[in-house]
Amino acid sequence: MFETAELGRAVAKKDFEAVIPGLRVELVDLQQRLRSAGFPVLVLFSGVNGAGKSETINLLNEWMDPRWIESSAYQPPSDEERERPRFWRYWRDVPAKGRLGLFLSAWYSRPFLDHVYGASSAAEYEAQLDECAGFERVLADDGALILKFWMHLGRAQQKRRLKALEKDPLQRWRITELDWKHWRMYERFIEVAEQTIRATSIPQAPWQIVEGMDPHYRSLTVATAIRDAVSARLAVRPPNGSKLRRRTDPDGAVPAERAGDAAAAILDGTRRHNVLTDLDMRQTASKDEYAEELPRQQGRVNSLFREARERGVSLVCVFEGWDASGKGGAIRRLTRALDARDYRVIPIAAPNDEEAAHHYLWRFWRQLRRSGRVTIFDRSWYGRVLVERVEGLASPLEWRRAYSEINQFERQLTGFGIVLVKFWLHVTPEEQLRRFEERQSIDYKRWKITDEDWRNREKWELYERAVQEMVERTSALDAPWTLVEANCKRSARLKVLRTVAEALEGALAREGDGHRSGSERSTKKKKA
Amino acid sequence: MFETAELGRAVAKKDFEAVIPGLRVELVDLQQRLRSAGFPVLVLFSGVNGAGKSETINLLNEWMDPRWIESSAYQPPSDEERERPRFWRYWRDVPAKGRLGLFLSAWYSRPFLDHVYGASSAAEYEAQLDECAGFERVLADDGALILKFWMHLGRAQQKRRLKALEKDPLQRWRITELDWKHWRMYERFIEVAEQTIRATSIPQAPWQIVEGMDPHYRSLTVATAIRDAVSARLAVRPPNGSKLRRRTDPDGAVPAERAGDAAAAILDGTRRHNVLTDLDMRQTASKDEYAEELPRQQGRVNSLFREARERGVSLVCVFEGWDASGKGGAIRRLTRALDARDYRVIPIAAPNDEEAAHHYLWRFWRQLRRSGRVTIFDRSWYGRVLVERVEGLASPLEWRRAYSEINQFERQLTGFGIVLVKFWLHVTPEEQLRRFEERQSIDYKRWKITDEDWRNREKWELYERAVQEMVERTSALDAPWTLVEANCKRSARLKVLRTVAEALEGALAREGDGHRSGSERSTKKKKA
């Protein structure tokens, strides 16, 4: 989930300073237009200490017209507040229609810390997160535009940032021993952060994860996201719009495609740096290494899966990737490690009539197999947020909603004890071209390449963006995406096998601890 | 919640037989139109044993075209089913677009019984209900029309019904020792039923409670509800409608106002019998009785509240009722029992500018007071589903959504330990008229009566219907509606005082048991 926010994305000071004046004018102008609109805007900042939550709030206060903006940060509850239901103070601070409210952590803060410190059980925390989501749903149903930013830093980034703040005489006061204590608990924070983001990324108010290391990048990201969301909503809910009109676009919270403007152009530039471009594509495995390692890893997968089968543990593998990235070959190397009675490979193409007549998840639910089996999806439910998104086969409303639907689906799988492994096989555009041309020149491979493949290539950037967002929204500790550097087929196949083996090993170790039992699993949304 | 389904509503056989042929034609015709529509229909039956769940499913199968209808009932899970996540079997049975699926208890059944038998904790059950609601939300977001009927019988009704079935040689097989065992556990069933209905009456798929005693009444109610909901949805999502159009009406699940037709006319007839007409309006208190009882009840409230204040327990009283039903007088008799420093009376009229610029619940949240206080609302948040509904000040979408918003709000109050008491003061139309005329004839009372009061009188039936639905949707064990027979002001005032006293007594007894502590309360959605 956070892989996408540890890329070191940055915006040069010069570029930043060039676009800010224009952006500020736009923001102030939007505030004016918002004043007569029939909805409030809530902007919530949460995330890692030092990732710039309060700095961003300060900056927005500086940039925008302070008369139409309200900032709310929360101390431990006062007597007054302790004597009322928990949401009382947040309700009080909900901005009026036409106004913009900035919230620092707010309703997430206390339950989050309580759970990090183990003061609440997993079930209690889930219930509290439901309350948070319920609160936001009530406001969003009434028309509120809610933007939630999760400001993130990697573990090493956070350390660097805390040290830098300590060194700065003007900022030193910000850093206390508690910050360092929390830094030492980094893994625990991330685990709870992930649970929080998955459970409360409701379609009306999804979290947007922002890399917090570079102040220019994060400020520009947040400010343009606010600008885009408010102007998109104003476009569908113009002031004095009819009631009906005002209610037809649950979609406005998400930025519309932007016409080229200076700030967007800079951010698009940083997008060229993403989880895929971040991969080290020079990885290779020699023939000898492969000849030795392949049977070793296959043997490992074989013996681990036999143990899993004994214990009734199922494995579900998802293969996604570029055309000609070698999914089929990788799948075959995996299935050779398994007994034909245990696995099934499900190739996913366009839905048939019966499938098209159901919810898009239906055809995946029906493919779930009994305990102790392996199901391999050659393409999967992620088609919704990849090909269907890029090709316009699903509406923006549909594919944006799909992230939380997919998370809910996968949580039911992993909650039941199924081991879920997801691969994106990545090749560079040059390597893909080489393979396309090779396929066309070899008679028995020509069928593999179609006009559609060539067309897809033209949409490389759109797919890249979709992959980045997919990883951001659906990678989870118990259902992680593994990005496979697949320019070298041999090394890609070995990585797939190793990843499957490690996932099985981890699951069997947890099972062995007796942490989860069958009957319990199905009743918990998330493992404790 | 179930008061509204223990009225003994019935439809005469003759009337029933007269309208059924026409209704069947309509249903079959709708099925045909549905076939080319882009959404499936799910109809779920749950509720009390013997209230006609399976009989209704049989009847619908008989009435409708069996080729486009699918019924699903569930046994304890098979091996196959146990080895998959819980919702696997329900996903398999989701009908295709254009089809109608009837479900018997289905996804609610097992968690419900587990919780009735104490096999799951309150928090676990809440999590399971969230899964149920989440499943329905995913389907509804995709366009599915979901109707949920909770078939109800009162305790005595259920006994009668079980006995009757036992006597019938053709039906005897239906009744087992388990049914009687469950009947003896009636209170526990009702408690869990209420929790279930409140937690899963999401705006996209609210429960409709149906009185199950009379087969003609319940069959006609269910069949017309299906007819109305399907035809309303077909009207806004016509076959081959544009995508955008199809997604703009989250409201279609609820029947549109019906043009007069035979079946509707009969049901409207049964509506004349409702929770209000069911009250015994002859209740009176003599002057002597009142003179003796009033100070006694006031003293009781006073001493109970002083204890509550000591313990930090707050009291919130809601007064709703017809114009001139005596709300003000009853409130004054209550406040005289209290110390002026402890209570505040909040009269609710049209919202001021600031209030109107917020979510309608905002102005009630801000009125919540500290621990150990009394807040009395003279009219309240229920205006949303009463005057705003009847006068068209809130859209159908808004007031229908309000039931679950109100339940969520009140659950936060009672979950925090606040004692919540809600009164509807009922007078007959004749008594109201007498009071209006009296007010007009007395100089110092004339200001109390306005043209609006006379206009409201004309909408008596619409208000009656709104009250019936309000009680059905928002009366709960920890937040019950008390309907006060108020033709006699003296007896009404005494009933109000007694009810407050009893509510305080109950809460103090529970507090005394140490069942709830302050810090816990705020984290639980519902008391254990």
Side-chain angles (χ1 to χ4, degrees):
Chain A
M1 180 176 282
F2 296 113
E3 325 49 337
T4 58
E6 297 180 11
L7 296 166
R9 282 180 175 175
V11 168
K13 192 171 178 226
K14 176 177 63 68
D15 292 339
F16 182 74
E17 287 174 350
V19 297
I20 288 311
L23 191 56
R24 288 179 64 169
V25 170
E26 284 187 85
L27 285 170
V28 172
D29 176 56
L30 272 180
Q31 275 186 291
Q32 288 305 318
R33 289 171 54 207
L34 180 64
R35 280 178 60 199
S36 52
F39 61 91
V41 180
L42 288 80
V43 185
L44 177 68
F45 294 90
S46 197
V48 172
N49 274 348
K53 298 188 293 282
S54 53
E55 290 91 332
T56 310
I57 288 183
N58 289 343
L59 203 64
L60 289 169
N61 267 304
E62 200 184 302
W63 286 356
M64 296 172 83
D65 185 335
R67 288 171 301 169
W68 317 110
I69 203 168
E70 293 153 24
S71 301
S72 304
Y74 298 90
Q75 297 294 319
S78 66
D79 283 2
E80 282 273 346
E81 290 166 340
R82 249 196 307 277
E83 293 181 13
R84 271 113 170 169
R86 198 167 81 80
F87 276 83
W88 178 70
R89 58 177 176 168
Y90 309 120
W91 269 98
R92 286 209 304 174
D93 292 341
V94 169
K97 288 165 190 170
R99 287 173 165 271
L100 190 143
L102 303 174
F103 293 86
L104 185 58
S105 295
W107 42 98
Y108 289 97
S109 174
R110 245 179 92 206
F112 181 87
L113 281 175
D114 280 353
H115 192 51
V116 163
Y117 277 102
S120 61
S121 72
E124 282 168 340
Y125 189 50
E126 285 285 342
Q128 291 169 331
L129 291 179
D130 276 338
E131 279 186 345
C132 294
F135 173 58
E136 292 167 10
R137 227 179 248 126
V138 163
L139 296 176
D141 282 348
D142 193 48
L145 172 60
I146 304 175
L147 299 172
K148 301 190 297 199
F149 296 100
W150 193 276
M151 313 297 279
H152 179 75
L153 291 176
R155 192 171 196 277
Q157 287 179 322
Q158 191 186 12
K159 186 175 183 179
R160 252 162 58 212
R161 176 100 171 116
L162 293 179
K163 291 215 164 189
L165 287 170
E166 271 187 339
K167 269 194 194 150
D168 181 343
L170 290 174
Q171 301 280 355
R172 191 176 295 149
W173 60 274
R174 285 188 189 275
I175 306 305
T176 65
E177 180 43 38
L178 191 64
D179 291 299
W180 284 109
K181 182 180 168 192
H182 284 174
W183 177 76
R184 287 186 295 270
M185 296 165 70
Y186 185 85
E187 297 307 326
R188 174 67 183 157
F189 269 83
I190 288 301
E191 193 183 328
V192 178
E194 193 183 281
Q195 185 185 356
T196 307
I197 291 171
R198 282 174 96 189
T200 58
S201 276
I202 56 174
Q204 300 96 324
W207 284 99
Q208 300 178 53
I209 300 174
V210 178
E211 179 162 359
M213 196 60 196
D214 177 60
H216 300 142
Y217 172 77
R218 75 176 180 233
S219 309
L220 201 57
T221 300
V222 168
T224 53
I226 293 174
R227 177 198 65 175
D228 294 344
V230 173
S231 63
R233 180 65 66 95
L234 282 170
V236 292
R237 296 193 175 192
N240 307 320
S242 74
K243 280 213 167 190
L244 189 67
R245 185 87 198 281
R246 281 175 50 215
R247 257 172 213 92
T248 54
D249 187 74
D251 203 1
V254 193
E257 298 305 323
R258 282 172 298 211
D261 67 77
I266 289 178
L267 287 176
D268 280 346
T270 66
R271 281 233 183 81
R272 259 171 249 138
H273 187 179
N274 57 46
V275 282
L276 296 180
T277 61
D278 211 39
L279 296 173
D280 178 3
M281 296 304 289
R282 289 163 306 179
Q283 294 185 39
T284 53
S286 71
K287 274 195 179 173
D288 286 353
E289 194 186 334
Y290 184 67
E292 192 181 333
E293 190 70 3
L294 183 72
R296 192 191 353 236
Q297 292 302 333
Q298 286 177 328
R300 193 174 158 216
V301 166
N302 182 277
S303 79
L304 284 164
F305 179 70
R306 276 188 302 172
E307 196 186 331
R309 191 183 54 194
E310 281 301 300
R311 300 210 210 156
V313 172
S314 280
L315 171 68
V316 169
C317 300
V318 167
F319 284 85
E320 294 282 356
W322 299 103
D323 292 326
S325 60
K327 291 187 291 294
I331 289 172
R332 279 193 297 280
R333 296 328 179 274
L334 172 59
T335 55
R336 269 178 215 158
L338 301 166
D339 185 322
R341 282 164 298 192
D342 294 335
Y343 74 82
R344 190 178 289 166
V345 179
I346 317 278
I348 300 295
N352 65 29
D353 283 359
E354 191 188 4
E355 291 166 343
H358 284 88
H359 192 280
Y360 80 95
L361 283 175
W362 180 81
R363 60 171 169 156
F364 304 105
W365 269 101
R366 71 202 288 242
Q367 296 292 0
L368 294 185
R369 304 180 61 228
R370 304 185 65 162
S371 304
R373 304 292 207 284
V374 181
T375 316
I376 297 168
F377 289 92
D378 184 352
R379 304 201 186 272
S380 70
W381 44 92
Y382 284 100
R384 190 75 161 184
V385 295
L386 295 170
V387 59
E388 291 188 43
R389 165 185 176 165
V390 172
E391 302 295 336
L393 302 172
S395 71
L397 184 58
E398 286 171 332
W399 63 257
R400 280 174 187 142
R401 195 173 60 214
Y403 297 114
S404 59
E405 291 170 348
I406 287 173
N407 281 328
Q408 187 177 323
F409 170 53
E410 293 186 353
R411 225 150 51 179
Q412 293 193 61
L413 303 190
T414 57
F416 191 71
I418 292 170
V419 179
L420 177 60
V421 189
K422 306 185 290 196
F423 297 103
W424 174 268
L425 268 62
H426 183 62
V427 290
T428 54
E430 300 74 30
E431 174 64 16
Q432 190 191 46
L433 183 62
R434 205 190 56 72
R435 291 185 189 183
F436 277 12
E437 287 168 350
E438 186 188 84
R439 283 180 178 188
Q440 278 193 315
S441 67
I442 300 176
D443 273 356
Y444 65 88
K445 280 193 174 175
R446 200 166 294 145
W447 61 274
K448 278 187 157 184
I449 184 106
T450 66
D451 286 354
E452 203 182 318
D453 293 320
W454 289 103
R455 276 198 303 275
N456 288 345
R457 250 183 86 74
E458 288 165 20
K459 295 178 178 159
W460 191 276
E461 263 191 48
L462 294 176
Y463 274 102
E464 215 172 53
R465 190 180 290 192
V467 170
Q468 166 89 7
E469 192 167 351
M470 169 183 84
V471 170
E472 179 176 315
R473 301 287 302 272
T474 64
S475 197
L477 291 172
D478 60 353
W481 273 103
T482 300
L483 305 177
V484 181
E485 304 83 350
N487 270 7
C488 165
K489 288 184 181 179
R490 287 187 296 262
S491 103
R493 291 166 187 170
L494 292 178
K495 182 165 181 177
V496 165
L497 282 163
R498 266 187 222 111
T499 305
V500 170
E502 280 159 21
L504 286 171
E505 239 164 30
L508 292 173
R510 284 194 302 277
E511 278 277 325
D513 291 348
H515 275 149
R516 294 142 90 197
S517 71
S519 64
E520 246 184 302
R521 270 180 226 140
S522 56
T523 67
K524 299 271 165 64
K525 281 168 110 171
K526 181 123 165 57
K527 62 185 195 236
Chain B
M1 180 176 284
F2 296 112
E3 315 67 325
T4 58
E6 296 180 12
L7 296 167
R9 280 181 176 176
V11 169
K13 192 171 177 225
K14 178 176 61 67
D15 292 340
F16 182 73
E17 287 173 352
V19 298
I20 287 312
L23 190 57
R24 287 178 64 170
V25 170
E26 284 187 87
L27 286 170
V28 172
D29 176 57
L30 271 180
Q31 275 185 290
Q32 288 305 318
R33 288 172 53 206
L34 180 63
R35 279 178 61 198
S36 51
F39 61 90
V41 180
L42 288 81
V43 185
L44 177 68
F45 294 89
S46 198
V48 172
N49 274 349
K53 299 189 292 282
S54 53
E55 290 92 331
T56 311
I57 288 183
N58 290 343
L59 203 66
L60 289 169
N61 266 304
E62 201 185 301
W63 285 358
M64 298 172 82
D65 185 335
R67 286 171 302 170
W68 317 112
I69 203 168
E70 292 153 26
S71 300
S72 304
Y74 299 91
Q75 297 295 319
S78 66
D79 283 3
E80 282 272 347
E81 291 166 341
R82 250 196 307 276
E83 294 181 11
R84 270 113 171 169
R86 199 167 80 80
F87 277 83
W88 178 70
R89 57 176 176 170
Y90 310 120
W91 269 98
R92 286 211 302 174
D93 292 340
V94 169
K97 288 164 189 167
R99 288 172 163 271
L100 191 144
L102 304 174
F103 292 86
L104 185 59
S105 296
W107 42 98
Y108 289 97
S109 175
R110 245 179 91 203
F112 181 88
L113 281 175
D114 280 354
H115 192 50
V116 164
Y117 278 103
S120 61
S121 72
E124 281 168 341
Y125 188 49
E126 285 286 342
Q128 290 169 332
L129 291 179
D130 276 337
E131 279 186 345
C132 293
F135 173 58
E136 293 167 9
R137 225 178 249 130
V138 163
L139 296 177
D141 282 348
D142 193 47
L145 172 61
I146 303 175
L147 300 171
K148 302 189 298 199
F149 296 100
W150 194 277
M151 313 297 280
H152 180 76
L153 292 176
R155 194 172 196 277
Q157 287 179 322
Q158 191 186 14
K159 186 176 183 181
R160 252 161 59 212
R161 176 100 172 116
L162 293 179
K163 291 214 164 192
L165 287 170
E166 270 186 340
K167 270 195 194 150
D168 182 342
L170 290 173
Q171 300 278 355
R172 191 176 295 149
W173 60 272
R174 285 188 189 275
I175 306 305
T176 65
E177 181 41 40
L178 191 64
D179 291 300
W180 285 109
K181 182 179 168 192
H182 285 173
W183 177 75
R184 288 187 295 272
M185 294 166 71
Y186 185 87
E187 297 308 326
R188 174 66 183 156
F189 270 84
I190 287 302
E191 194 183 324
V192 178
E194 193 183 281
Q195 185 185 356
T196 307
I197 291 170
R198 282 173 95 188
T200 59
S201 276
I202 56 174
Q204 300 96 323
W207 283 100
Q208 300 178 52
I209 300 174
V210 178
E211 179 162 0
M213 195 60 195
D214 178 60
H216 299 144
Y217 171 78
R218 75 176 179 231
S219 308
L220 201 58
T221 301
V222 168
T224 52
I226 293 174
R227 179 198 64 178
D228 294 345
V230 174
S231 63
R233 180 65 66 94
L234 281 170
V236 293
R237 295 194 176 193
N240 307 319
S242 75
K243 280 212 167 191
L244 189 66
R245 185 88 198 281
R246 282 174 49 212
R247 261 177 207 90
T248 55
D249 188 71
D251 204 2
V254 194
E257 298 305 322
R258 281 172 299 210
D261 67 78
I266 290 179
L267 287 175
D268 280 347
T270 65
R271 283 234 181 82
R272 259 170 250 136
H273 187 179
N274 57 46
V275 284
L276 297 180
T277 61
D278 211 39
L279 297 172
D280 177 4
M281 297 303 290
R282 289 162 308 180
Q283 296 186 39
T284 53
S286 70
K287 275 195 178 173
D288 286 353
E289 195 186 331
Y290 184 69
E292 191 182 330
E293 190 69 3
L294 184 73
R296 193 192 351 235
Q297 291 303 334
Q298 287 177 328
R300 193 175 158 215
V301 166
N302 182 278
S303 79
L304 282 164
F305 180 70
R306 276 190 301 172
E307 196 186 333
R309 192 183 54 193
E310 281 301 301
R311 300 211 210 155
V313 172
S314 280
L315 172 68
V316 169
C317 300
V318 167
F319 284 84
E320 294 282 355
W322 299 105
D323 293 326
S325 59
K327 291 188 291 294
I331 289 172
R332 279 191 299 279
R333 296 328 179 273
L334 172 59
T335 54
R336 268 177 218 158
L338 300 166
D339 186 319
R341 283 166 297 192
D342 294 334
Y343 74 82
R344 188 178 291 166
V345 178
I346 317 279
I348 300 296
N352 64 30
D353 283 359
E354 191 188 5
E355 291 166 342
H358 284 87
H359 191 281
Y360 80 96
L361 284 175
W362 181 80
R363 61 171 169 156
F364 304 105
W365 267 102
R366 69 203 287 243
Q367 297 292 0
L368 294 185
R369 304 180 60 228
R370 303 185 64 161
S371 303
R373 305 292 208 283
V374 181
T375 316
I376 297 169
F377 289 92
D378 185 353
R379 305 203 185 268
S380 68
W381 44 93
Y382 284 100
R384 190 75 162 183
V385 295
L386 295 171
V387 59
E388 291 188 41
R389 166 186 175 165
V390 173
E391 302 295 337
L393 303 171
S395 71
L397 184 59
E398 285 171 331
W399 61 258
R400 282 175 186 140
R401 196 174 57 213
Y403 297 114
S404 60
E405 291 170 348
I406 287 173
N407 281 327
Q408 187 178 322
F409 171 53
E410 293 186 353
R411 226 152 48 181
Q412 293 192 60
L413 303 189
T414 57
F416 192 71
I418 292 170
V419 180
L420 177 60
V421 189
K422 306 186 290 197
F423 296 104
W424 175 267
L425 267 61
H426 184 61
V427 290
T428 55
E430 300 74 29
E431 174 64 15
Q432 189 191 47
L433 182 62
R434 205 190 56 71
R435 292 186 188 181
F436 277 13
E437 286 167 352
E438 186 188 85
R439 284 182 177 186
Q440 278 192 315
S441 66
I442 301 175
D443 273 356
Y444 66 87
K445 280 193 173 176
R446 198 167 295 142
W447 62 272
K448 276 188 160 186
I449 182 104
T450 65
D451 287 352
E452 202 182 319
D453 293 320
W454 289 103
R455 276 199 303 276
N456 288 345
R457 250 183 86 74
E458 287 165 21
K459 296 181 177 155
W460 191 276
E461 264 191 47
L462 294 176
Y463 274 102
E464 217 171 52
R465 189 179 289 191
V467 171
Q468 166 88 8
E469 191 167 351
M470 170 184 83
V471 170
E472 179 176 315
R473 301 287 302 271
T474 62
S475 197
L477 291 172
D478 60 353
W481 274 104
T482 301
L483 306 177
V484 182
E485 304 83 350
N487 270 9
C488 165
K489 288 185 181 179
R490 289 188 294 263
S491 104
R493 290 165 187 171
L494 293 177
K495 182 166 180 177
V496 164
L497 282 162
R498 269 190 219 109
T499 306
V500 170
E502 280 158 20
L504 286 170
E505 239 164 29
L508 293 172
R510 283 195 300 278
E511 279 277 326
D513 292 348
H515 275 151
R516 292 143 89 196
S517 72
S519 65
E520 247 184 300
R521 272 181 225 140
S522 57
T523 68
K524 297 273 164 64
K525 282 168 112 171
K526 181 125 165 62
K527 65 187 195 236

